[in-house]
Amino acid sequence: MSFIQNLINGHMLYQLGCDVWNAFVDISLAFLVKTPEEIDTNLWTVVMDNIYPLFLAVGSALVVTFFFLGLYRDVSDYRQIIQLESLIFILIRLGICQAVIVGLKPFIMAMFQSGQALSRMIISRMGFATGSAYGHLASSSEYLKSGSLMFAGTIIGILFFIAALTCGASICLSVFQRIIKIIFAAPTGALAIATIAGGRELSRTASSWFQEFLAVILEASFMILAIGICVPIMAIPLFPGSGVVDTLMSIIEPAFKMVLMSSAVRGSGTIFRKFLGMH
């Protein structure tokens, strides 16, 4: 009887929505402080041991192609006089390109570890830890549980559950999209680095890859920062009164706060790119 009553008055749906939201927050924070290797060792092994060498071989071959493209562009420009210094600079550029390609894998792993260390430092400085119920919602509403709203409570409970499911899934989706970006960016880096051998214009591809890779690495820290900023805001009661309107709004209030955190997490990457001029 109590089960049916809680289902009708919307209290059970409200509790379920809070539990879903809390689970999504825990999953998101857990994945944001892990390196790709820690997330799925088998997948990362396949990417770096099987796929990465393939792109590395293609990138190493393209170094020669881009080198001759850049050399041809320089010698075919009648306005530019090719001197010994220019030829030495071209050869130095070729050597730097080869050195960067050879050391790309250690650089990628070092960047992952640095990003992980920064994320954990932000979590520590903000005074919370993963799995510590940070960002959770209290899964109880005495007003709904009392049954005063009757079937109106059912509608509120359904809407609240949909909001919790949508916002929580949106945060998790942003986190997993970042992981997919990393899996695509890591092996294809050799192709982008090969363009350094072609000179200033062609090397813009390498510059774009470095910028995007840096943005993806640091995106986790900005997502954690967004969560850390929104959680204290979510704890502020917007309707502390005891009137009927304030009581009703206090039930709906967590849904607005979930939308706030979801929007902040999804938009953190865009904000970071704008700050650093990455478009």
Side-chain angles (χ1 to χ4, degrees), residues 4-14 144 147-162:
I4 297 175
Q5 182 180 358
N6 288 333
L7 182 63
I8 294 175
N9 60 28
H11 183 255
M12 183 170 294
L13 290 170
Y14 183 89
L144 285 177
S148 303
L149 297 177
M150 298 300 291
F151 288 102
T154 306
I155 298 175
I156 293 176
I158 292 173
L159 295 176
F160 181 82
F161 174 77
I162 293 174

Side-chain angles (χ1 to χ4, degrees), residues 48-108:
M48 297 307 292
D49 292 349
N50 298 340
I51 301 176
Y52 178 81
L54 176 63
F55 282 96
L56 182 63
V58 175
S60 299
L62 287 176
V63 169
V64 180
T65 303
F66 286 117
F67 169 73
F68 281 107
L69 284 175
L71 182 62
Y72 173 76
R73 188 196 63 228
D74 291 338
V75 299
S76 63
D77 189 356
Y78 64 91
R79 294 170 298 180
Q80 181 176 353
I81 300 176
I82 302 299
Q83 299 177 347
L84 179 61
E85 292 82 358
S86 301
L87 293 175
I88 293 175
F89 176 75
I90 292 172
L91 293 176
I92 291 175
R93 190 172 63 202
L94 177 63
I96 292 175
C97 181
Q98 288 286 10
V100 173
I101 288 181
V102 171
L104 184 59
K105 187 174 181 179
F107 169 77
I108 289 174

Side-chain angles (χ1 to χ4, degrees), residues 116-139:
Q116 181 187 48
L118 179 60
S119 298
R120 290 181 174 176
M121 187 180 299
I122 291 175
I123 287 177
S124 176
R125 291 297 180 90
M126 299 198 76
F128 70 95
T130 56
S132 61
Y134 194 78
H136 284 196
L137 292 174
S139 56

Side-chain angles (χ1 to χ4, degrees), residues 197-236:
R200 182 177 300 175
E201 294 182 4
L202 292 175
S203 63
R204 291 175 182 175
T205 302
S207 176
S208 298
W209 182 85
F210 273 115
Q211 289 182 1
E212 185 62 27
F213 184 72
L214 177 64
V216 171
I217 294 297
L218 297 181
E219 195 173 8
S221 301
F222 266 67
M223 288 180 177
I224 293 174
L225 185 62
I227 294 175
I229 293 174
C230 289
V231 167
I233 297 176
M234 293 178 67
I236 300 175

